[in-house]
Amino acid sequence: MMASLNTFPLSFKVKGRRIVIVGGSDEALNKVRLVSKTTASIEIYSRQIEADFSAFPVSLHERALAPGDIAGAALVFVAEEGEDAELAKAEARRLGIPLNVVDVPAECDFYTPSIVERAPLTVAISTEGDAPVLARLVRAQIEALLAPGIGKIASMAGGLRQKVESLIQDGAARRRYYEDLVTRPGMGPAEAERLLADHAAHGRGQGMVWLIGAGPGAEDLLTLRAQRALQQADVIVHDQLVPAAVVEMGRRDAEQVCVGKARGHHSFSQAQINTLLVRLAGEGKRVARLKSGDPMVFGRAGEEIAALRKAGLAYEIVPGVSAALAAAADTATPVTLRRTSSGFVMATAHGADDGDLMHWAALAQSGLTLALYMGKAIAAETAALLVAHGAAPDLPIGIVVNAGRAESASYSGTLGRLAAGAVDFVDGPAIILVGRAVAHGDWANAAEAAASNFKVA
């Protein structure tokens, strides 16, 4: 059962009215910073003005507070103690004026929320006065999610409201227009009008596909752009490796379609996925194609892009954190390092032929760092073949399973030791890093990737 709120969130009209702040210290200045974003006239009363209010449009009264000073105010803030503070509280309560006593929640009629300001759009976050740090943390996250120019677009949307309602009667189609409007950077009035005409002509608007990198699986490694796209999508088409927690970051009413590909089991062929994306976007739907890591790195995005291009459908690439970069971050491994490694190569061990292995061995010998994807099941075999093709047996290797996630596990050793026997890895996708730079990472807590009798639960 959801907990009941002890406060009711609302927006208070202050246009053309007065806000009274009693106090002249930094506490009062902090309140001025907040209320100065409104069009209200701000009056400061204190027997001693200590803070510098010169940057704000306020009226300063350096004197004792009189009872009549409170009358007619929209809001009263008390930011000091003493005789004037008690008078201000008594008068506000007598006159029924909402009162806020700084740092004394029990005496407050209202709390000042953390505010994200994108005028005319305002987002207020309140925790009922008992957890201000949490409110500030949430505010920081919302600040990042709301693009700086969204206020301008909100004003534009307000001006178009009547025209939108007259041209688009369907509520869902109208919502799609507004979503389209607020998520396009650099949208001006003329572009907004053209977009409206397009939506009115096509009913639900034209479909599109976002090819989104979900990163290695941790929700907080999803990019802001990816989160915005997920919130706009009507359908989320996701891979098997994308965790449910990431998929759930999409819009609540979005349809979810798993086209999972696990090793040895493909519920959807790539051709079927291509056909699905084309069909959904062709129906006018917005599709989030959610791929593990980065869509352009071993994500077969090229085939999906080709299908969308052929069908004349719009698409956008949203990059993500690739698993190799997450593995390097988990282990503080500098994949490029001056005088050690001048480059970084991403390759897939799955299906690699003899020529590939010979090429990789030469690259590793030249000093480059290799990141081998999809090689966990054949790690020992791949290591042995690299050595056979000329890679040094003493080349440092590091293996990270579930890179970027809370359950990340790491293994370290040398190419020769890995070739000596299979490693029973923990479950999950793995990245194998090979090269001299790997030795400079933090592998202190890594298990040894060596002998054939090595087991990990």
Side-chain angles (χ1 to χ4, degrees), residues 246-270:
V246 174
V247 178
E248 292 300 325
M249 295 181 78
R251 207 173 72 213
R252 187 173 300 175
D253 60 342
E255 180 185 356
Q256 298 177 7
V257 181
C258 179
V259 291
K261 292 181 182 180
R263 186 165 62 89
H265 175 70
H266 290 186
S267 58
F268 278 70
S269 68
Q270 187 59 53

mmCIF file with all atom_site columns, all heavy atoms in Angstrom, residues 246-270:
data_model
loop_
_atom_site.group_PDB
_atom_site.id
_atom_site.type_symbol
_atom_site.label_atom_id
_atom_site.label_alt_id
_atom_site.label_comp_id
_atom_site.label_asym_id
_atom_site.label_entity_id
_atom_site.label_seq_id
_atom_site.pdbx_PDB_ins_code
_atom_site.Cartn_x
_atom_site.Cartn_y
_atom_site.Cartn_z
_atom_site.occupancy
_atom_site.B_iso_or_equiv
_atom_site.pdbx_formal_charge
_atom_site.auth_seq_id
_atom_site.auth_comp_id
_atom_site.auth_asym_id
_atom_site.auth_atom_id
_atom_site.pdbx_PDB_model_num
ATOM 1   N N   . VAL A 1 246 ? 16.588 -1.980  -16.838 1.00 0.00 ? 246 VAL A N   1
ATOM 2   C CA  . VAL A 1 246 ? 16.830 -0.982  -17.888 1.00 0.00 ? 246 VAL A CA  1
ATOM 3   C C   . VAL A 1 246 ? 15.605 -0.866  -18.788 1.00 0.00 ? 246 VAL A C   1
ATOM 4   O O   . VAL A 1 246 ? 15.181 0.233   -19.150 1.00 0.00 ? 246 VAL A O   1
ATOM 5   C CB  . VAL A 1 246 ? 18.084 -1.342  -18.703 1.00 0.00 ? 246 VAL A CB  1
ATOM 6   C CG1 . VAL A 1 246 ? 18.262 -0.390  -19.881 1.00 0.00 ? 246 VAL A CG1 1
ATOM 7   C CG2 . VAL A 1 246 ? 19.321 -1.301  -17.815 1.00 0.00 ? 246 VAL A CG2 1
ATOM 8   N N   . VAL A 1 247 ? 15.015 -1.990  -19.147 1.00 0.00 ? 247 VAL A N   1
ATOM 9   C CA  . VAL A 1 247 ? 13.809 -1.977  -19.984 1.00 0.00 ? 247 VAL A CA  1
ATOM 10  C C   . VAL A 1 247 ? 12.693 -1.209  -19.287 1.00 0.00 ? 247 VAL A C   1
ATOM 11  O O   . VAL A 1 247 ? 11.946 -0.445  -19.907 1.00 0.00 ? 247 VAL A O   1
ATOM 12  C CB  . VAL A 1 247 ? 13.352 -3.410  -20.317 1.00 0.00 ? 247 VAL A CB  1
ATOM 13  C CG1 . VAL A 1 247 ? 12.073 -3.389  -21.148 1.00 0.00 ? 247 VAL A CG1 1
ATOM 14  C CG2 . VAL A 1 247 ? 14.445 -4.167  -21.057 1.00 0.00 ? 247 VAL A CG2 1
ATOM 15  N N   . GLU A 1 248 ? 12.589 -1.373  -17.967 1.00 0.00 ? 248 GLU A N   1
ATOM 16  C CA  . GLU A 1 248 ? 11.528 -0.727  -17.203 1.00 0.00 ? 248 GLU A CA  1
ATOM 17  C C   . GLU A 1 248 ? 11.700 0.783   -17.109 1.00 0.00 ? 248 GLU A C   1
ATOM 18  O O   . GLU A 1 248 ? 10.802 1.482   -16.633 1.00 0.00 ? 248 GLU A O   1
ATOM 19  C CB  . GLU A 1 248 ? 11.454 -1.317  -15.792 1.00 0.00 ? 248 GLU A CB  1
ATOM 20  C CG  . GLU A 1 248 ? 10.996 -2.759  -15.735 1.00 0.00 ? 248 GLU A CG  1
ATOM 21  C CD  . GLU A 1 248 ? 9.604  -2.958  -16.320 1.00 0.00 ? 248 GLU A CD  1
ATOM 22  O OE1 . GLU A 1 248 ? 8.761  -2.050  -16.171 1.00 0.00 ? 248 GLU A OE1 1
ATOM 23  O OE2 . GLU A 1 248 ? 9.360  -4.007  -16.940 1.00 0.00 ? 248 GLU A OE2 1
ATOM 24  N N   . MET A 1 249 ? 12.826 1.306   -17.567 1.00 0.00 ? 249 MET A N   1
ATOM 25  C CA  . MET A 1 249 ? 13.020 2.757   -17.569 1.00 0.00 ? 249 MET A CA  1
ATOM 26  C C   . MET A 1 249 ? 12.260 3.413   -18.718 1.00 0.00 ? 249 MET A C   1
ATOM 27  O O   . MET A 1 249 ? 12.231 4.632   -18.841 1.00 0.00 ? 249 MET A O   1
ATOM 28  C CB  . MET A 1 249 ? 14.510 3.095   -17.636 1.00 0.00 ? 249 MET A CB  1
ATOM 29  C CG  . MET A 1 249 ? 15.263 2.649   -16.402 1.00 0.00 ? 249 MET A CG  1
ATOM 30  S SD  . MET A 1 249 ? 17.005 3.047   -16.426 1.00 0.00 ? 249 MET A SD  1
ATOM 31  C CE  . MET A 1 249 ? 16.955 4.793   -16.023 1.00 0.00 ? 249 MET A CE  1
ATOM 32  N N   . GLY A 1 250 ? 11.634 2.606   -19.568 1.00 0.00 ? 250 GLY A N   1
ATOM 33  C CA  . GLY A 1 250 ? 10.800 3.138   -20.633 1.00 0.00 ? 250 GLY A CA  1
ATOM 34  C C   . GLY A 1 250 ? 9.458  3.601   -20.114 1.00 0.00 ? 250 GLY A C   1
ATOM 35  O O   . GLY A 1 250 ? 9.142  3.472   -18.929 1.00 0.00 ? 250 GLY A O   1
ATOM 36  N N   . ARG A 1 251 ? 8.663  4.162   -21.002 1.00 0.00 ? 251 ARG A N   1
ATOM 37  C CA  . ARG A 1 251 ? 7.342  4.635   -20.623 1.00 0.00 ? 251 ARG A CA  1
ATOM 38  C C   . ARG A 1 251 ? 6.506  3.477   -20.088 1.00 0.00 ? 251 ARG A C   1
ATOM 39  O O   . ARG A 1 251 ? 6.573  2.361   -20.612 1.00 0.00 ? 251 ARG A O   1
ATOM 40  C CB  . ARG A 1 251 ? 6.661  5.256   -21.853 1.00 0.00 ? 251 ARG A CB  1
ATOM 41  C CG  . ARG A 1 251 ? 5.642  6.319   -21.494 1.00 0.00 ? 251 ARG A CG  1
ATOM 42  C CD  . ARG A 1 251 ? 5.128  7.026   -22.734 1.00 0.00 ? 251 ARG A CD  1
ATOM 43  N NE  . ARG A 1 251 ? 4.246  6.159   -23.497 1.00 0.00 ? 251 ARG A NE  1
ATOM 44  C CZ  . ARG A 1 251 ? 4.145  6.172   -24.817 1.00 0.00 ? 251 ARG A CZ  1
ATOM 45  N NH1 . ARG A 1 251 ? 4.917  6.962   -25.517 1.00 0.00 ? 251 ARG A NH1 1
ATOM 46  N NH2 . ARG A 1 251 ? 3.293  5.379   -25.438 1.00 0.00 ? 251 ARG A NH2 1
ATOM 47  N N   . ARG A 1 252 ? 5.737  3.741   -19.083 1.00 0.00 ? 252 ARG A N   1
ATOM 48  C CA  . ARG A 1 252 ? 5.020  2.676   -18.370 1.00 0.00 ? 252 ARG A CA  1
ATOM 49  C C   . ARG A 1 252 ? 4.076  1.895   -19.278 1.00 0.00 ? 252 ARG A C   1
ATOM 50  O O   . ARG A 1 252 ? 3.910  0.683   -19.125 1.00 0.00 ? 252 ARG A O   1
ATOM 51  C CB  . ARG A 1 252 ? 4.245  3.278   -17.199 1.00 0.00 ? 252 ARG A CB  1
ATOM 52  C CG  . ARG A 1 252 ? 3.592  2.257   -16.287 1.00 0.00 ? 252 ARG A CG  1
ATOM 53  C CD  . ARG A 1 252 ? 2.984  2.917   -15.072 1.00 0.00 ? 252 ARG A CD  1
ATOM 54  N NE  . ARG A 1 252 ? 3.979  3.619   -14.284 1.00 0.00 ? 252 ARG A NE  1
ATOM 55  C CZ  . ARG A 1 252 ? 3.693  4.359   -13.215 1.00 0.00 ? 252 ARG A CZ  1
ATOM 56  N NH1 . ARG A 1 252 ? 2.445  4.483   -12.815 1.00 0.00 ? 252 ARG A NH1 1
ATOM 57  N NH2 . ARG A 1 252 ? 4.651  4.972   -12.546 1.00 0.00 ? 252 ARG A NH2 1
ATOM 58  N N   . ASP A 1 253 ? 3.444  2.589   -20.226 1.00 0.00 ? 253 ASP A N   1
ATOM 59  C CA  . ASP A 1 253 ? 2.464  1.911   -21.080 1.00 0.00 ? 253 ASP A CA  1
ATOM 60  C C   . ASP A 1 253 ? 3.055  1.431   -22.393 1.00 0.00 ? 253 ASP A C   1
ATOM 61  O O   . ASP A 1 253 ? 2.315  0.990   -23.285 1.00 0.00 ? 253 ASP A O   1
ATOM 62  C CB  . ASP A 1 253 ? 1.266  2.827   -21.349 1.00 0.00 ? 253 ASP A CB  1
ATOM 63  C CG  . ASP A 1 253 ? 1.670  4.120   -22.051 1.00 0.00 ? 253 ASP A CG  1
ATOM 64  O OD1 . ASP A 1 253 ? 2.863  4.473   -22.027 1.00 0.00 ? 253 ASP A OD1 1
ATOM 65  O OD2 . ASP A 1 253 ? 0.787  4.785   -22.628 1.00 0.00 ? 253 ASP A OD2 1
ATOM 66  N N   . ALA A 1 254 ? 4.384  1.485   -22.529 1.00 0.00 ? 254 ALA A N   1
ATOM 67  C CA  . ALA A 1 254 ? 5.015  1.034   -23.768 1.00 0.00 ? 254 ALA A CA  1
ATOM 68  C C   . ALA A 1 254 ? 4.964  -0.495  -23.866 1.00 0.00 ? 254 ALA A C   1
ATOM 69  O O   . ALA A 1 254 ? 5.144  -1.201  -22.880 1.00 0.00 ? 254 ALA A O   1
ATOM 70  C CB  . ALA A 1 254 ? 6.458  1.512   -23.839 1.00 0.00 ? 254 ALA A CB  1
ATOM 71  N N   . GLU A 1 255 ? 4.727  -0.993  -25.081 1.00 0.00 ? 255 GLU A N   1
ATOM 72  C CA  . GLU A 1 255 ? 4.769  -2.431  -25.317 1.00 0.00 ? 255 GLU A CA  1
ATOM 73  C C   . GLU A 1 255 ? 6.225  -2.889  -25.286 1.00 0.00 ? 255 GLU A C   1
ATOM 74  O O   . GLU A 1 255 ? 7.111  -2.203  -25.790 1.00 0.00 ? 255 GLU A O   1
ATOM 75  C CB  . GLU A 1 255 ? 4.157  -2.748  -26.682 1.00 0.00 ? 255 GLU A CB  1
ATOM 76  C CG  . GLU A 1 255 ? 4.149  -4.217  -27.049 1.00 0.00 ? 255 GLU A CG  1
ATOM 77  C CD  . GLU A 1 255 ? 3.654  -4.475  -28.457 1.00 0.00 ? 255 GLU A CD  1
ATOM 78  O OE1 . GLU A 1 255 ? 3.233  -3.504  -29.135 1.00 0.00 ? 255 GLU A OE1 1
ATOM 79  O OE2 . GLU A 1 255 ? 3.718  -5.645  -28.891 1.00 0.00 ? 255 GLU A OE2 1
ATOM 80  N N   . GLN A 1 256 ? 6.482  -4.048  -24.682 1.00 0.00 ? 256 GLN A N   1
ATOM 81  C CA  . GLN A 1 256 ? 7.840  -4.591  -24.595 1.00 0.00 ? 256 GLN A CA  1
ATOM 82  C C   . GLN A 1 256 ? 7.926  -5.892  -25.385 1.00 0.00 ? 256 GLN A C   1
ATOM 83  O O   . GLN A 1 256 ? 7.111  -6.791  -25.190 1.00 0.00 ? 256 GLN A O   1
ATOM 84  C CB  . GLN A 1 256 ? 8.233  -4.835  -23.139 1.00 0.00 ? 256 GLN A CB  1
ATOM 85  C CG  . GLN A 1 256 ? 8.263  -3.577  -22.286 1.00 0.00 ? 256 GLN A CG  1
ATOM 86  C CD  . GLN A 1 256 ? 8.590  -3.871  -20.835 1.00 0.00 ? 256 GLN A CD  1
ATOM 87  O OE1 . GLN A 1 256 ? 8.927  -5.007  -20.468 1.00 0.00 ? 256 GLN A OE1 1
ATOM 88  N NE2 . GLN A 1 256 ? 8.498  -2.860  -19.986 1.00 0.00 ? 256 GLN A NE2 1
ATOM 89  N N   . VAL A 1 257 ? 8.902  -5.955  -26.286 1.00 0.00 ? 257 VAL A N   1
ATOM 90  C CA  . VAL A 1 257 ? 9.091  -7.151  -27.106 1.00 0.00 ? 257 VAL A CA  1
ATOM 91  C C   . VAL A 1 257 ? 10.534 -7.628  -26.944 1.00 0.00 ? 257 VAL A C   1
ATOM 92  O O   . VAL A 1 257 ? 11.469 -6.904  -27.274 1.00 0.00 ? 257 VAL A O   1
ATOM 93  C CB  . VAL A 1 257 ? 8.819  -6.869  -28.597 1.00 0.00 ? 257 VAL A CB  1
ATOM 94  C CG1 . VAL A 1 257 ? 9.008  -8.141  -29.420 1.00 0.00 ? 257 VAL A CG1 1
ATOM 95  C CG2 . VAL A 1 257 ? 7.432  -6.294  -28.795 1.00 0.00 ? 257 VAL A CG2 1
ATOM 96  N N   . CYS A 1 258 ? 10.711 -8.818  -26.387 1.00 0.00 ? 258 CYS A N   1
ATOM 97  C CA  . CYS A 1 258 ? 12.051 -9.392  -26.235 1.00 0.00 ? 258 CYS A CA  1
ATOM 98  C C   . CYS A 1 258 ? 12.380 -10.204 -27.489 1.00 0.00 ? 258 CYS A C   1
ATOM 99  O O   . CYS A 1 258 ? 11.653 -11.121 -27.848 1.00 0.00 ? 258 CYS A O   1
ATOM 100 C CB  . CYS A 1 258 ? 12.125 -10.284 -24.997 1.00 0.00 ? 258 CYS A CB  1
ATOM 101 S SG  . CYS A 1 258 ? 13.760 -11.036 -24.770 1.00 0.00 ? 258 CYS A SG  1
ATOM 102 N N   . VAL A 1 259 ? 13.459 -9.832  -28.147 1.00 0.00 ? 259 VAL A N   1
ATOM 103 C CA  . VAL A 1 259 ? 13.903 -10.569 -29.337 1.00 0.00 ? 259 VAL A CA  1
ATOM 104 C C   . VAL A 1 259 ? 15.210 -11.268 -28.999 1.00 0.00 ? 259 VAL A C   1
ATOM 105 O O   . VAL A 1 259 ? 16.168 -11.264 -29.757 1.00 0.00 ? 259 VAL A O   1
ATOM 106 C CB  . VAL A 1 259 ? 14.060 -9.633  -30.557 1.00 0.00 ? 259 VAL A CB  1
ATOM 107 C CG1 . VAL A 1 259 ? 12.708 -9.141  -31.014 1.00 0.00 ? 259 VAL A CG1 1
ATOM 108 C CG2 . VAL A 1 259 ? 14.970 -8.445  -30.230 1.00 0.00 ? 259 VAL A CG2 1
ATOM 109 N N   . GLY A 1 260 ? 15.243 -11.856 -27.810 1.00 0.00 ? 260 GLY A N   1
ATOM 110 C CA  . GLY A 1 260 ? 16.450 -12.378 -27.197 1.00 0.00 ? 260 GLY A CA  1
ATOM 111 C C   . GLY A 1 260 ? 17.257 -13.323 -28.044 1.00 0.00 ? 260 GLY A C   1
ATOM 112 O O   . GLY A 1 260 ? 16.727 -14.196 -28.708 1.00 0.00 ? 260 GLY A O   1
ATOM 113 N N   . LYS A 1 261 ? 18.557 -13.103 -27.958 1.00 0.00 ? 261 LYS A N   1
ATOM 114 C CA  . LYS A 1 261 ? 19.501 -14.027 -28.584 1.00 0.00 ? 261 LYS A CA  1
ATOM 115 C C   . LYS A 1 261 ? 20.470 -14.474 -27.506 1.00 0.00 ? 261 LYS A C   1
ATOM 116 O O   . LYS A 1 261 ? 21.302 -13.696 -27.059 1.00 0.00 ? 261 LYS A O   1
ATOM 117 C CB  . LYS A 1 261 ? 20.278 -13.342 -29.708 1.00 0.00 ? 261 LYS A CB  1
ATOM 118 C CG  . LYS A 1 261 ? 19.441 -12.981 -30.920 1.00 0.00 ? 261 LYS A CG  1
ATOM 119 C CD  . LYS A 1 261 ? 20.330 -12.342 -31.973 1.00 0.00 ? 261 LYS A CD  1
ATOM 120 C CE  . LYS A 1 261 ? 19.527 -11.919 -33.181 1.00 0.00 ? 261 LYS A CE  1
ATOM 121 N NZ  . LYS A 1 261 ? 20.381 -11.302 -34.209 1.00 0.00 ? 261 LYS A NZ  1
ATOM 122 N N   . ALA A 1 262 ? 20.321 -15.675 -27.057 1.00 0.00 ? 262 ALA A N   1
ATOM 123 C CA  . ALA A 1 262 ? 21.272 -16.255 -26.112 1.00 0.00 ? 262 ALA A CA  1
ATOM 124 C C   . ALA A 1 262 ? 22.114 -17.264 -26.872 1.00 0.00 ? 262 ALA A C   1
ATOM 125 O O   . ALA A 1 262 ? 21.713 -17.762 -27.920 1.00 0.00 ? 262 ALA A O   1
ATOM 126 C CB  . ALA A 1 262 ? 20.529 -16.929 -24.956 1.00 0.00 ? 262 ALA A CB  1
ATOM 127 N N   . ARG A 1 263 ? 23.307 -17.578 -26.335 1.00 0.00 ? 263 ARG A N   1
ATOM 128 C CA  . ARG A 1 263 ? 24.195 -18.517 -27.013 1.00 0.00 ? 263 ARG A CA  1
ATOM 129 C C   . ARG A 1 263 ? 23.480 -19.863 -27.201 1.00 0.00 ? 263 ARG A C   1
ATOM 130 O O   . ARG A 1 263 ? 22.989 -20.463 -26.260 1.00 0.00 ? 263 ARG A O   1
ATOM 131 C CB  . ARG A 1 263 ? 25.485 -18.702 -26.206 1.00 0.00 ? 263 ARG A CB  1
ATOM 132 C CG  . ARG A 1 263 ? 26.530 -19.547 -26.923 1.00 0.00 ? 263 ARG A CG  1
ATOM 133 C CD  . ARG A 1 263 ? 27.882 -19.380 -26.239 1.00 0.00 ? 263 ARG A CD  1
ATOM 134 N NE  . ARG A 1 263 ? 27.869 -19.836 -24.868 1.00 0.00 ? 263 ARG A NE  1
ATOM 135 C CZ  . ARG A 1 263 ? 28.138 -21.080 -24.488 1.00 0.00 ? 263 ARG A CZ  1
ATOM 136 N NH1 . ARG A 1 263 ? 28.424 -21.994 -25.385 1.00 0.00 ? 263 ARG A NH1 1
ATOM 137 N NH2 . ARG A 1 263 ? 28.123 -21.409 -23.220 1.00 0.00 ? 263 ARG A NH2 1
ATOM 138 N N   . GLY A 1 264 ? 23.378 -20.290 -28.449 1.00 0.00 ? 264 GLY A N   1
ATOM 139 C CA  . GLY A 1 264 ? 22.737 -21.555 -28.769 1.00 0.00 ? 264 GLY A CA  1
ATOM 140 C C   . GLY A 1 264 ? 21.229 -21.480 -28.897 1.00 0.00 ? 264 GLY A C   1
ATOM 141 O O   . GLY A 1 264 ? 20.574 -22.474 -29.164 1.00 0.00 ? 264 GLY A O   1
ATOM 142 N N   . HIS A 1 265 ? 20.652 -20.274 -28.702 1.00 0.00 ? 265 HIS A N   1
ATOM 143 C CA  . HIS A 1 265 ? 19.197 -20.170 -28.797 1.00 0.00 ? 265 HIS A CA  1
ATOM 144 C C   . HIS A 1 265 ? 18.822 -18.791 -29.321 1.00 0.00 ? 265 HIS A C   1
ATOM 145 O O   . HIS A 1 265 ? 19.093 -17.786 -28.676 1.00 0.00 ? 265 HIS A O   1
ATOM 146 C CB  . HIS A 1 265 ? 18.550 -20.393 -27.427 1.00 0.00 ? 265 HIS A CB  1
ATOM 147 C CG  . HIS A 1 265 ? 17.064 -20.183 -27.451 1.00 0.00 ? 265 HIS A CG  1
ATOM 148 N ND1 . HIS A 1 265 ? 16.199 -21.046 -28.086 1.00 0.00 ? 265 HIS A ND1 1
ATOM 149 C CD2 . HIS A 1 265 ? 16.295 -19.195 -26.930 1.00 0.00 ? 265 HIS A CD2 1
ATOM 150 C CE1 . HIS A 1 265 ? 14.957 -20.606 -27.935 1.00 0.00 ? 265 HIS A CE1 1
ATOM 151 N NE2 . HIS A 1 265 ? 14.993 -19.476 -27.241 1.00 0.00 ? 265 HIS A NE2 1
ATOM 152 N N   . HIS A 1 266 ? 18.208 -18.725 -30.482 1.00 0.00 ? 266 HIS A N   1
ATOM 153 C CA  . HIS A 1 266 ? 17.749 -17.475 -31.075 1.00 0.00 ? 266 HIS A CA  1
ATOM 154 C C   . HIS A 1 266 ? 16.235 -17.531 -31.208 1.00 0.00 ? 266 HIS A C   1
ATOM 155 O O   . HIS A 1 266 ? 15.702 -18.262 -32.040 1.00 0.00 ? 266 HIS A O   1
ATOM 156 C CB  . HIS A 1 266 ? 18.384 -17.260 -32.454 1.00 0.00 ? 266 HIS A CB  1
ATOM 157 C CG  . HIS A 1 266 ? 19.850 -16.967 -32.381 1.00 0.00 ? 266 HIS A CG  1
ATOM 158 N ND1 . HIS A 1 266 ? 20.579 -16.616 -33.487 1.00 0.00 ? 266 HIS A ND1 1
ATOM 159 C CD2 . HIS A 1 266 ? 20.713 -16.968 -31.348 1.00 0.00 ? 266 HIS A CD2 1
ATOM 160 C CE1 . HIS A 1 266 ? 21.852 -16.423 -33.132 1.00 0.00 ? 266 HIS A CE1 1
ATOM 161 N NE2 . HIS A 1 266 ? 21.938 -16.638 -31.838 1.00 0.00 ? 266 HIS A NE2 1
ATOM 162 N N   . SER A 1 267 ? 15.539 -16.748 -30.379 1.00 0.00 ? 267 SER A N   1
ATOM 163 C CA  . SER A 1 267 ? 14.082 -16.737 -30.476 1.00 0.00 ? 267 SER A CA  1
ATOM 164 C C   . SER A 1 267 ? 13.627 -15.953 -31.704 1.00 0.00 ? 267 SER A C   1
ATOM 165 O O   . SER A 1 267 ? 12.559 -16.204 -32.247 1.00 0.00 ? 267 SER A O   1
ATOM 166 C CB  . SER A 1 267 ? 13.476 -16.139 -29.205 1.00 0.00 ? 267 SER A CB  1
ATOM 167 O OG  . SER A 1 267 ? 13.952 -14.829 -28.992 1.00 0.00 ? 267 SER A OG  1
ATOM 168 N N   . PHE A 1 268 ? 14.438 -14.982 -32.139 1.00 0.00 ? 268 PHE A N   1
ATOM 169 C CA  . PHE A 1 268 ? 14.166 -14.217 -33.344 1.00 0.00 ? 268 PHE A CA  1
ATOM 170 C C   . PHE A 1 268 ? 15.434 -14.239 -34.195 1.00 0.00 ? 268 PHE A C   1
ATOM 171 O O   . PHE A 1 268 ? 16.535 -14.000 -33.688 1.00 0.00 ? 268 PHE A O   1
ATOM 172 C CB  . PHE A 1 268 ? 13.846 -12.747 -33.014 1.00 0.00 ? 268 PHE A CB  1
ATOM 173 C CG  . PHE A 1 268 ? 12.436 -12.486 -32.605 1.00 0.00 ? 268 PHE A CG  1
ATOM 174 C CD1 . PHE A 1 268 ? 11.963 -12.940 -31.385 1.00 0.00 ? 268 PHE A CD1 1
ATOM 175 C CD2 . PHE A 1 268 ? 11.579 -11.760 -33.418 1.00 0.00 ? 268 PHE A CD2 1
ATOM 176 C CE1 . PHE A 1 268 ? 10.667 -12.678 -30.981 1.00 0.00 ? 268 PHE A CE1 1
ATOM 177 C CE2 . PHE A 1 268 ? 10.278 -11.496 -33.029 1.00 0.00 ? 268 PHE A CE2 1
ATOM 178 C CZ  . PHE A 1 268 ? 9.814  -11.956 -31.810 1.00 0.00 ? 268 PHE A CZ  1
ATOM 179 N N   . SER A 1 269 ? 15.274 -14.486 -35.478 1.00 0.00 ? 269 SER A N   1
ATOM 180 C CA  . SER A 1 269 ? 16.420 -14.343 -36.372 1.00 0.00 ? 269 SER A CA  1
ATOM 181 C C   . SER A 1 269 ? 16.628 -12.856 -36.645 1.00 0.00 ? 269 SER A C   1
ATOM 182 O O   . SER A 1 269 ? 15.723 -12.036 -36.419 1.00 0.00 ? 269 SER A O   1
ATOM 183 C CB  . SER A 1 269 ? 16.164 -15.079 -37.689 1.00 0.00 ? 269 SER A CB  1
ATOM 184 O OG  . SER A 1 269 ? 15.138 -14.425 -38.429 1.00 0.00 ? 269 SER A OG  1
ATOM 185 N N   . GLN A 1 270 ? 17.814 -12.498 -37.164 1.00 0.00 ? 270 GLN A N   1
ATOM 186 C CA  . GLN A 1 270 ? 18.055 -11.095 -37.463 1.00 0.00 ? 270 GLN A CA  1
ATOM 187 C C   . GLN A 1 270 ? 17.095 -10.596 -38.538 1.00 0.00 ? 270 GLN A C   1
ATOM 188 O O   . GLN A 1 270 ? 16.608 -9.451  -38.475 1.00 0.00 ? 270 GLN A O   1
ATOM 189 C CB  . GLN A 1 270 ? 19.504 -10.886 -37.917 1.00 0.00 ? 270 GLN A CB  1
ATOM 190 C CG  . GLN A 1 270 ? 19.890 -9.419  -38.090 1.00 0.00 ? 270 GLN A CG  1
ATOM 191 C CD  . GLN A 1 270 ? 19.723 -8.616  -36.815 1.00 0.00 ? 270 GLN A CD  1
ATOM 192 O OE1 . GLN A 1 270 ? 20.245 -8.989  -35.770 1.00 0.00 ? 270 GLN A OE1 1
ATOM 193 N NE2 . GLN A 1 270 ? 18.989 -7.507  -36.889 1.00 0.00 ? 270 GLN A NE2 1
#
